[in-house]
Amino acid sequence: MVGIPKSNRCTFCKLRKTKCDENWPTCGACARAGKVCSGARSSYKFVVNGCHNEERTPKSSDSDDASISSCDGSSQIHDPLSRRTSPGGSIIIDMKEYTAAIGPGTFHRMRLARPHRPRSVKSGRSTPTPSPTPSPVMSPSDRLAAQFVSCINAASGTGNDLIIWGPSIKMIPQRLVVGSESQVLRHTVELVVASWSNSQRDILTPETWLDLRLHMQALGSLRKALEEPEQGVVTDTIAAQWLLQKLELTYDFVRGANQENHAAGLTAVISRGGPWQGFNDLGLYATFDSFFHMLQEDVRLARDSVFMQNEWITALRQAIDISTLRPVVKSMYRLWIEMTIWPTLVRLVRVLCQDPSDTMTAAELVLRATPVIEYLENEDETSLASLMESGDIIEVDNPLDADLFPKCYQFRDIDTAKFFYTHAMYSIIIYRTMQEANAVLEHYAPSVMKKCREYSQRIWKSYPWMRTQRPLAIEYTAALAFSYESANEEEREFCVRSLDDMEFFRRPPPIGRWIDATIMANVKGYTGRMPFIKTQDVSIELYGVGCRC
């Protein structure tokens, strides 16, 4: 038996006896005919006693083809190969190679097979056999979903785990597999895969992690989706905008994140459909995972949140109730709904800062803030207490700053940690706004200061665990900043050190260097006690004039 070169034509072109343009993975002829292209044929065919011995592909029931599992939870390559020998003792191999940028290598699909029966020679002619059945080719969406799943699974439980961004991340591969109807989500996922992969390469500096070419492509697709909204792709647009927001907040070091544009775009896309538009799971997850940034933008612009209207609150609560979310995630999303009052309270505090004698506004602020405080205290006594009883939140010895805090918290997962420190952060914000109203009403309430310090300590004791979630757990820095005002001198040094440590990879950090003036400017700005000024001049914060935005 000898091996001789074989034509590279695919099976379809060979049967038609036409030239193949070899434009793999799908040649032009197959593309025009709507056929599944078999790709390049084997490099050699074997000749036995002058007979071209070309086997027939086994039936599907006998096939040992490797298969790829669905991308709903994890992507693995199953390769149950069995070595079989032909009657003549030879092994016939039919191998296809599919290249994918999943990490540094490639993966293969291989079949080891033997002919069903020996060639029969009759009148000096060999019996013709059918051409091999083409193996299925991965679609670009399937390949991209597999790459994304690989990124999600590659760093599970570490600070590079994409799940840190939010539960929405788990549903995006399935959305790609079933067929996204627009390019905006695919282009954004390509950007995330490339940027995340760059962050895992030790030879690259943080400034080069973001792929600028793919970034511009994703922004262009997003701009088109926002300008020309189409029915059926709202979920794709929401998910893509949420991903871009998280990606830029984490990786866009030089130019800063387009937080203002993304928050405005998210608010427009979500509100355009109305409160009863009917969220699917991905749309619901991505909406709530974006809430913090949308509320931040409302605070900066001194406007009420569109989602605090009764219709929206009722619709969002019903969507949460009928969803299959974990209880801790449901609790966190309900907390976001209650916090839609945050921009309104900040707007009222700004009125009080301009006119400290406005008792009517102070009374309105107390009236609006009191139900939220009652809700937060009830969550503390129920949901958070339940998590501590079940062991999802436990106190352990502090390995980092035992002199300041002998004990610290450990959490079951990032969702539990987010709910815990977000509840503490919002409690501080609401109590600070109440403090301004009490000052105008001349109502001294020492319990307000006590509560602020209590919740600040919870944030500080969460730091050792949150530190293990760097670099993607960047939103924790907001909680650290709000806790700063309640700290003594030694604790403030800890806060500054912790803020720098959480952003060690951001060069330069978006806020600049964390110092007392920049921290207090942000805390006062987002509680209504200092105006926002659209500038990057740090001197306005150093002199206590305002907060940069």
PDB file of all heavy atoms in Angstrom, residues 428-442:
ATOM      1  N   ILE A 428     -25.897  53.681  54.028  1.00  0.00           N
ATOM      2  CA  ILE A 428     -25.110  54.882  54.335  1.00  0.00           C
ATOM      3  C   ILE A 428     -25.635  56.079  53.547  1.00  0.00           C
ATOM      4  O   ILE A 428     -25.804  57.182  54.095  1.00  0.00           O
ATOM      5  CB  ILE A 428     -23.619  54.630  54.020  1.00  0.00           C
ATOM      6  CG1 ILE A 428     -23.045  53.564  54.954  1.00  0.00           C
ATOM      7  CG2 ILE A 428     -22.815  55.928  54.140  1.00  0.00           C
ATOM      8  CD1 ILE A 428     -21.647  53.105  54.577  1.00  0.00           C
ATOM      9  N   ILE A 429     -25.921  55.878  52.258  1.00  0.00           N
ATOM     10  CA  ILE A 429     -26.399  56.984  51.417  1.00  0.00           C
ATOM     11  C   ILE A 429     -27.715  57.551  51.960  1.00  0.00           C
ATOM     12  O   ILE A 429     -27.880  58.774  52.094  1.00  0.00           O
ATOM     13  CB  ILE A 429     -26.577  56.499  49.960  1.00  0.00           C
ATOM     14  CG1 ILE A 429     -25.218  56.184  49.326  1.00  0.00           C
ATOM     15  CG2 ILE A 429     -27.320  57.541  49.128  1.00  0.00           C
ATOM     16  CD1 ILE A 429     -25.308  55.527  47.973  1.00  0.00           C
ATOM     17  N   ILE A 430     -28.659  56.680  52.281  1.00  0.00           N
ATOM     18  CA  ILE A 430     -29.964  57.151  52.755  1.00  0.00           C
ATOM     19  C   ILE A 430     -29.832  57.855  54.092  1.00  0.00           C
ATOM     20  O   ILE A 430     -30.447  58.912  54.329  1.00  0.00           O
ATOM     21  CB  ILE A 430     -30.959  55.973  52.849  1.00  0.00           C
ATOM     22  CG1 ILE A 430     -31.114  55.301  51.489  1.00  0.00           C
ATOM     23  CG2 ILE A 430     -32.309  56.466  53.358  1.00  0.00           C
ATOM     24  CD1 ILE A 430     -31.603  56.219  50.400  1.00  0.00           C
ATOM     25  N   TYR A 431     -29.029  57.307  55.002  1.00  0.00           N
ATOM     26  CA  TYR A 431     -28.846  57.950  56.310  1.00  0.00           C
ATOM     27  C   TYR A 431     -28.155  59.304  56.175  1.00  0.00           C
ATOM     28  O   TYR A 431     -28.451  60.236  56.935  1.00  0.00           O
ATOM     29  CB  TYR A 431     -28.055  57.038  57.253  1.00  0.00           C
ATOM     30  CG  TYR A 431     -28.913  55.987  57.929  1.00  0.00           C
ATOM     31  CD1 TYR A 431     -28.715  54.631  57.680  1.00  0.00           C
ATOM     32  CD2 TYR A 431     -29.925  56.361  58.809  1.00  0.00           C
ATOM     33  CE1 TYR A 431     -29.496  53.673  58.292  1.00  0.00           C
ATOM     34  CE2 TYR A 431     -30.719  55.399  59.428  1.00  0.00           C
ATOM     35  CZ  TYR A 431     -30.503  54.056  59.165  1.00  0.00           C
ATOM     36  OH  TYR A 431     -31.293  53.109  59.773  1.00  0.00           O
ATOM     37  N   ARG A 432     -27.254  59.458  55.213  1.00  0.00           N
ATOM     38  CA  ARG A 432     -26.590  60.758  55.015  1.00  0.00           C
ATOM     39  C   ARG A 432     -27.591  61.813  54.526  1.00  0.00           C
ATOM     40  O   ARG A 432     -27.535  62.974  54.931  1.00  0.00           O
ATOM     41  CB  ARG A 432     -25.449  60.620  54.007  1.00  0.00           C
ATOM     42  CG  ARG A 432     -24.239  59.844  54.514  1.00  0.00           C
ATOM     43  CD  ARG A 432     -23.564  60.524  55.658  1.00  0.00           C
ATOM     44  NE  ARG A 432     -22.417  59.760  56.154  1.00  0.00           N
ATOM     45  CZ  ARG A 432     -21.851  59.941  57.335  1.00  0.00           C
ATOM     46  NH1 ARG A 432     -22.323  60.873  58.152  1.00  0.00           N
ATOM     47  NH2 ARG A 432     -20.821  59.215  57.712  1.00  0.00           N
ATOM     48  N   THR A 433     -28.502  61.422  53.644  1.00  0.00           N
ATOM     49  CA  THR A 433     -29.508  62.386  53.192  1.00  0.00           C
ATOM     50  C   THR A 433     -30.459  62.743  54.336  1.00  0.00           C
ATOM     51  O   THR A 433     -30.876  63.902  54.473  1.00  0.00           O
ATOM     52  CB  THR A 433     -30.304  61.819  52.004  1.00  0.00           C
ATOM     53  OG1 THR A 433     -30.964  60.606  52.392  1.00  0.00           O
ATOM     54  CG2 THR A 433     -29.383  61.517  50.831  1.00  0.00           C
ATOM     55  N   MET A 434     -30.799  61.765  55.166  1.00  0.00           N
ATOM     56  CA  MET A 434     -31.644  62.029  56.338  1.00  0.00           C
ATOM     57  C   MET A 434     -30.955  62.988  57.302  1.00  0.00           C
ATOM     58  O   MET A 434     -31.598  63.838  57.934  1.00  0.00           O
ATOM     59  CB  MET A 434     -31.974  60.723  57.042  1.00  0.00           C
ATOM     60  CG  MET A 434     -33.077  59.937  56.400  1.00  0.00           C
ATOM     61  SD  MET A 434     -34.720  60.633  56.740  1.00  0.00           S
ATOM     62  CE  MET A 434     -34.930  60.182  58.449  1.00  0.00           C
ATOM     63  N   GLN A 435     -29.641  62.858  57.397  1.00  0.00           N
ATOM     64  CA  GLN A 435     -28.870  63.730  58.292  1.00  0.00           C
ATOM     65  C   GLN A 435     -29.009  65.196  57.886  1.00  0.00           C
ATOM     66  O   GLN A 435     -29.129  66.084  58.745  1.00  0.00           O
ATOM     67  CB  GLN A 435     -27.394  63.292  58.261  1.00  0.00           C
ATOM     68  CG  GLN A 435     -26.513  63.980  59.283  1.00  0.00           C
ATOM     69  CD  GLN A 435     -25.092  63.452  59.238  1.00  0.00           C
ATOM     70  OE1 GLN A 435     -24.687  62.796  58.272  1.00  0.00           O
ATOM     71  NE2 GLN A 435     -24.331  63.736  60.269  1.00  0.00           N
ATOM     72  N   GLU A 436     -29.027  65.469  56.571  1.00  0.00           N
ATOM     73  CA  GLU A 436     -29.185  66.846  56.099  1.00  0.00           C
ATOM     74  C   GLU A 436     -30.584  67.378  56.415  1.00  0.00           C
ATOM     75  O   GLU A 436     -30.749  68.532  56.812  1.00  0.00           O
ATOM     76  CB  GLU A 436     -28.931  66.905  54.591  1.00  0.00           C
ATOM     77  CG  GLU A 436     -27.517  66.575  54.177  1.00  0.00           C
ATOM     78  CD  GLU A 436     -26.498  67.524  54.789  1.00  0.00           C
ATOM     79  OE1 GLU A 436     -26.715  68.757  54.716  1.00  0.00           O
ATOM     80  OE2 GLU A 436     -25.505  67.031  55.359  1.00  0.00           O
ATOM     81  N   ALA A 437     -31.593  66.544  56.264  1.00  0.00           N
ATOM     82  CA  ALA A 437     -32.959  66.970  56.588  1.00  0.00           C
ATOM     83  C   ALA A 437     -33.108  67.226  58.085  1.00  0.00           C
ATOM     84  O   ALA A 437     -33.759  68.202  58.500  1.00  0.00           O
ATOM     85  CB  ALA A 437     -33.947  65.904  56.123  1.00  0.00           C
ATOM     86  N   ASN A 438     -32.515  66.368  58.896  1.00  0.00           N
ATOM     87  CA  ASN A 438     -32.589  66.555  60.348  1.00  0.00           C
ATOM     88  C   ASN A 438     -31.924  67.851  60.781  1.00  0.00           C
ATOM     89  O   ASN A 438     -32.377  68.514  61.730  1.00  0.00           O
ATOM     90  CB  ASN A 438     -31.945  65.370  61.065  1.00  0.00           C
ATOM     91  CG  ASN A 438     -32.778  64.103  60.969  1.00  0.00           C
ATOM     92  OD1 ASN A 438     -33.992  64.168  60.761  1.00  0.00           O
ATOM     93  ND2 ASN A 438     -32.142  62.954  61.112  1.00  0.00           N
ATOM     94  N   ALA A 439     -30.832  68.232  60.105  1.00  0.00           N
ATOM     95  CA  ALA A 439     -30.146  69.478  60.458  1.00  0.00           C
ATOM     96  C   ALA A 439     -31.042  70.684  60.193  1.00  0.00           C
ATOM     97  O   ALA A 439     -31.073  71.638  60.982  1.00  0.00           O
ATOM     98  CB  ALA A 439     -28.843  69.591  59.670  1.00  0.00           C
ATOM     99  N   VAL A 440     -31.781  70.657  59.077  1.00  0.00           N
ATOM    100  CA  VAL A 440     -32.693  71.762  58.761  1.00  0.00           C
ATOM    101  C   VAL A 440     -33.862  71.790  59.741  1.00  0.00           C
ATOM    102  O   VAL A 440     -34.304  72.852  60.192  1.00  0.00           O
ATOM    103  CB  VAL A 440     -33.204  71.633  57.312  1.00  0.00           C
ATOM    104  CG1 VAL A 440     -34.295  72.660  57.024  1.00  0.00           C
ATOM    105  CG2 VAL A 440     -32.050  71.798  56.327  1.00  0.00           C
ATOM    106  N   LEU A 441     -34.353  70.614  60.102  1.00  0.00           N
ATOM    107  CA  LEU A 441     -35.495  70.532  61.018  1.00  0.00           C
ATOM    108  C   LEU A 441     -35.073  70.633  62.485  1.00  0.00           C
ATOM    109  O   LEU A 441     -35.931  70.553  63.380  1.00  0.00           O
ATOM    110  CB  LEU A 441     -36.244  69.211  60.789  1.00  0.00           C
ATOM    111  CG  LEU A 441     -36.869  69.027  59.405  1.00  0.00           C
ATOM    112  CD1 LEU A 441     -37.429  67.624  59.250  1.00  0.00           C
ATOM    113  CD2 LEU A 441     -37.949  70.075  59.155  1.00  0.00           C
ATOM    114  N   GLU A 442     -33.744  70.780  62.699  1.00  0.00           N
ATOM    115  CA  GLU A 442     -33.191  70.881  64.053  1.00  0.00           C
ATOM    116  C   GLU A 442     -33.586  69.667  64.897  1.00  0.00           C
ATOM    117  O   GLU A 442     -33.938  69.773  66.072  1.00  0.00           O
ATOM    118  CB  GLU A 442     -33.646  72.177  64.729  1.00  0.00           C
ATOM    119  CG  GLU A 442     -33.162  73.434  64.009  1.00  0.00           C
ATOM    120  CD  GLU A 442     -33.599  74.710  64.703  1.00  0.00           C
ATOM    121  OE1 GLU A 442     -34.403  74.604  65.674  1.00  0.00           O
ATOM    122  OE2 GLU A 442     -33.139  75.782  64.303  1.00  0.00           O
TER     123      GLU A 442
END
